[in-house]
């Protein structure tokens, strides 16, 4: 019985941590900020390449 209670408490702690992290990401809109940074990095890489113009 004690093992079951310990397992449930551990599960509740993990779920609370996951919900807390997801709330912080949602509240501060961090997913959009990370994607914005990624887009800038990708654009920097592709802006350096020469473009083959075909007429």
């Amino acid at each position: 019985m004690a093992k079951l209670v310990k397992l449930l408490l551990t599960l509740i702690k993990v779920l609370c941590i996951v919900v807390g992290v997801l709330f912080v990401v949602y509240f501060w809109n961090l997913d959009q900020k990370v994607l914005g940074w990624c887009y800038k990095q990708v654009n920097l890489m592709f802006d350096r390449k020469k473009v083959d113009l075909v007429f």
Side-chain angles (χ1 to χ4, degrees), residues 9-25:
L9 287 176
T10 305
L11 181 64
I12 290 172
K13 286 179 187 178
V14 168
L15 288 176
C16 286
I17 290 171
V18 168
V19 169
V21 168
L22 289 175
F23 177 74
V24 168
V25 167

Side-chain angles (χ1 to χ4, degrees), residues 1-3 6-7 9 12 25 27-28 31-33 40 43 48 51:
M1 185 70 169
K3 288 183 181 182
K6 187 175 180 180
L7 179 68
L9 287 176
I12 290 172
V25 167
F27 187 74
W28 281 316
D31 54 341
Q32 293 297 319
K33 291 178 182 178
K40 286 180 186 177
N43 284 333
R48 287 188 217 146
V51 177

